[in-house]
Amino acid sequence: MRLFMFHFALYAIIEAEFLGARNLKKTVLDLIAGGVDLIQLRDKENSTREFVREALILREVTKEKKIPFLINDRVDIALAVKADGVHLGQDDLPVYFARKLLKEKIIGVTVHNLKEAKQAEKEGADYLAVGSIFPTMTKKDIKVVGLKTLRQIKKESSLPLIAIGGIKLENVVEAMKAGADGVAIVSGLLEADDLTKRAREFKKLVNKVLKV
């Protein structure tokens, strides 16, 4: 595991499908105002050109606010916009090869079981996103691995763990107490009318468990 410093207790994933009519830049500014520690951009629907356009907007905002910015899946886009790193799934570029390209940038990996967690750690991942912890509508046909898997990986891995999938206000404390160092949220944040207020509500609960 490489040594580096970044905060991710409240990890917001921005996805076009859940933005609706909201302005991208204002959305992120509102979330940051509410205490979000890290922003990830995920776009599986639009063209590469549109993904880059969105990424450049968020790179400018996150750089100004000194918030880490990650790109989902696309190592090429992360390099192009000078993001702070990437988050990779099990079907994406292996960590070993991503590390050669990204050098000291952040690399996170989604894992669903202990075997995947050990492999990602061996290859040089910086953190693991374990999920789906709870049922979620964000991704179709997603497998729910539950809190049991999170606890199991916590015992065996030295990497920071992010709980992902179906994280809501009513279950975020449960996920944190099961061993998560932070939570990654899409709809739980973006479905709110007041994004800053919702982010503050999540941050308060997360910090209570972390005793910050």
Side-chain angles (χ1 to χ4, degrees), residues 37-114:
D37 298 299
L38 184 149
I39 298 290
Q40 179 197 136
L41 177 62
R42 182 164 71 195
D43 191 339
K44 295 179 179 291
E45 303 297 326
N46 291 313
S47 66
T48 294
R49 188 177 291 271
E50 178 62 15
F51 198 157
V52 170
R53 186 193 71 81
E54 296 167 343
L56 286 171
I57 292 171
L58 297 195
R59 173 69 290 187
E60 180 182 2
V61 174
T62 53
K63 189 173 183 179
E64 178 184 342
K65 297 296 182 179
K66 296 181 172 59
I67 296 291
F69 174 50
L70 306 183
I71 296 291
N72 188 70
D73 297 349
R74 298 290 298 271
V75 174
D76 56 336
I77 293 179
L79 287 168
V81 304
K82 298 181 180 179
D84 297 300
V86 296
H87 186 84
L88 303 172
Q90 289 299 309
D91 295 326
D92 297 325
L93 188 69
V95 177
Y96 175 77
F97 292 106
R99 179 61 68 203
K100 288 184 176 182
L101 296 169
L102 295 170
K103 308 299 183 185
E104 296 300 308
K105 290 182 181 290
I106 300 165
I107 300 178
V109 181
T110 296
V111 299
H112 311 94
N113 52 56
L114 183 57

Side-chain angles (χ1 to χ4, degrees), residues 9-22:
L10 185 54
Y11 179 139
I13 300 175
I14 307 301
E15 192 161 1
E17 178 183 351
F18 294 91
L19 278 177
R22 285 193 174 102

Side-chain angles (χ1 to χ4, degrees), residues 87-205:
H87 186 84
L88 303 172
Q90 289 299 309
D91 295 326
D92 297 325
L93 188 69
V95 177
Y96 175 77
F97 292 106
R99 179 61 68 203
K100 288 184 176 182
L101 296 169
L102 295 170
K103 308 299 183 185
E104 296 300 308
K105 290 182 181 290
I106 300 165
I107 300 178
V109 181
T110 296
V111 299
H112 311 94
N113 52 56
L114 183 57
K115 181 180 178 181
E116 292 176 355
K118 287 184 174 181
Q119 184 64 31
E121 184 167 0
K122 180 181 178 181
E123 291 186 1
D126 292 308
Y127 72 91
L128 306 175
V130 183
S132 180
I133 300 301
F134 303 108
T136 176
M137 296 301 293
T138 303
K139 288 188 176 182
K140 297 178 181 179
D141 302 320
I142 194 74
K143 181 180 179 181
V144 177
V145 303
L147 296 170
K148 181 180 178 180
T149 299
L150 178 60
R151 294 189 186 101
Q152 183 183 33
I153 294 174
K154 182 69 174 181
K155 290 179 181 179
E156 300 287 338
S157 176
S158 63
L159 294 181
L161 302 183
I162 304 295
I164 189 171
I167 305 295
K168 305 290 184 183
L169 287 173
E170 56 266 28
N171 61 29
V172 64
V173 170
E174 188 178 11
M176 293 295 296
K177 287 185 175 180
D181 299 290
V183 289
I185 309 172
V186 186
S187 61
L189 285 168
L190 297 181
E191 69 185 2
D193 292 328
D194 188 329
L195 298 181
T196 300
K197 179 182 177 182
R198 177 62 59 85
R200 284 175 179 158
E201 290 171 337
F202 269 112
K203 193 65 177 289
K204 182 178 180 180
L205 292 171

